[in-house]
Amino acid sequence: MQNKKDPSAAQAEELSSNIAVMKVIARIRSDFPTKFGIPRQSGLVDSLQASVIFEPEYRNPDALRGLDGYSHLWLIWQFSESVRQSWSPTVRPPRLGGNRRMGVFATRSPFRPNAIGLSCVKIAGIEPDSPAGPVIHVLGADLMDGTPIFDIKPYLPHADCRPEASGGFAAPLVDHALKVECPPELLLKLPEQHRQTLPDLLAQDPRPSYQNDPDRIYGFPFAGFEIRFSVRDGVLSVREIIPEPAR
């Protein structure tokens, strides 16, 4: 008599055959402990500093041999705060006000069948023998602190740059920027390396596009400080810069 396979076992076997195993090779160290305030794309704020710290298994300097010949690299990473069991074919891009739906594959929304992100960053330096193993210091990253990284690939200008490419519905939004007003005495509270970065970051307008209350005070943590601001008539005014309590 022929044995029949348990339906639940067959279903589990089919499910497992559709799962690709991804290993976390590194994690980012950045000045953003939460998602709010992070630039919407990499490279929008070139002065943002971050570091790629490898997991113990991959702390081999030989894996970075030749990388110092490149100026930029691609980070392939996980939207670790946006992993879902289900998916939707359409999403609401924040830059469109959060009330227009677009196809998920026409956007860079984190809410995807596979929560994978792609960022192009500039190599600021490579530290081959730090106490944490080899470290890549980068500029322009749009990743939250601790984000898992699946892979790193060099950026190839002859293959990756397409100046003639069209930008779809995102193109008209490229030049969107706010005027930033920050009292010098507030800016001086920040470490020197962050004093220019913060205005550049705020000019990108961290608010969700559907929020436009001129009396609202917004806030987000950045580089160990709480940044509080308001926006009225296209001008962002920094209200407070408060050191966060030591953890």
Side-chain angles (χ1 to χ4, degrees):
M1 183 176 179
Q2 187 176 3
N3 292 330
K4 291 185 178 181
K5 185 177 287 188
D6 181 3
S8 61
Q11 186 178 15
E13 182 179 337
E14 180 181 358
L15 180 63
S16 65
S17 67
N18 292 327
I19 296 177
V21 177
M22 300 279 281
K23 293 185 176 181
V24 176
I25 66 164
R27 294 183 185 272
I28 201 80
R29 288 289 167 250
S30 76
D31 288 315
F32 296 100
T34 66
K35 293 187 293 183
F36 190 83
I38 298 177
R40 290 174 172 83
Q41 302 293 336
S42 60
L44 292 180
V45 183
D46 289 332
S47 57
L48 274 179
Q49 302 176 28
S51 298
V52 176
I53 310 295
F54 288 89
E55 295 291 280
E57 181 181 354
Y58 302 100
R59 292 177 182 174
N60 188 330
D62 287 342
L64 305 185
R65 188 184 302 169
L67 190 61
D68 56 357
Y70 298 92
S71 64
H72 292 71
L73 53 80
W74 292 106
L75 300 178
I76 302 170
W77 48 278
Q78 183 186 46
F79 287 103
S80 52
E81 299 295 301
S82 303
V83 176
R84 294 180 172 182
Q85 294 300 316
S86 60
W87 74 286
S88 171
T90 61
V91 294
R92 294 187 175 96
R95 278 300 196 202
L96 296 181
N99 52 16
R100 289 179 59 191
R101 283 196 170 273
M102 293 291 178
V104 64
F105 299 131
T107 76
R108 295 193 174 186
S109 167
F111 305 112
R112 325 182 65 77
N114 294 303
I116 294 175
L118 178 69
S119 296
C120 180
V121 297
K122 183 176 181 179
I123 300 174
I126 299 174
E127 193 177 354
D129 298 310
S130 82
V135 174
I136 307 174
H137 301 288
V138 300
L139 297 173
D142 56 340
L143 285 71
M144 190 176 76
D145 186 56
T147 293
I149 297 172
F150 292 137
D151 203 2
I152 294 167
K153 298 180 184 293
Y155 176 91
L156 303 177
H158 67 276
D160 296 339
C161 182
R162 289 289 184 265
E164 76 281 6
S166 58
F169 65 84
L173 307 173
V174 170
D175 295 327
H176 173 78
L178 297 174
K179 179 182 178 181
V180 177
E181 294 181 347
C182 181
E185 62 271 19
L186 290 184
L187 207 54
L188 287 173
K189 292 184 177 183
L190 295 175
E192 186 175 357
Q193 68 268 28
H194 296 306
R195 291 174 192 166
Q196 182 53 51
T197 300
L198 180 63
D200 292 344
L201 177 64
L202 294 173
Q204 296 296 320
D205 194 353
R207 303 170 302 161
S209 295
Y210 53 84
Q211 292 183 359
N212 193 28
D213 181 357
D215 296 319
R216 179 168 180 170
I217 303 297
Y218 300 87
F220 67 93
F222 170 70
F225 293 81
E226 176 75 13
I227 313 298
R228 297 179 182 174
F229 65 92
S230 61
V231 180
R232 182 184 294 271
D233 298 329
V235 178
L236 184 150
S237 300
V238 178
R239 302 297 184 184
E240 293 180 290
I241 297 180
I242 305 171
E244 290 192 305
R247 297 181 180 179

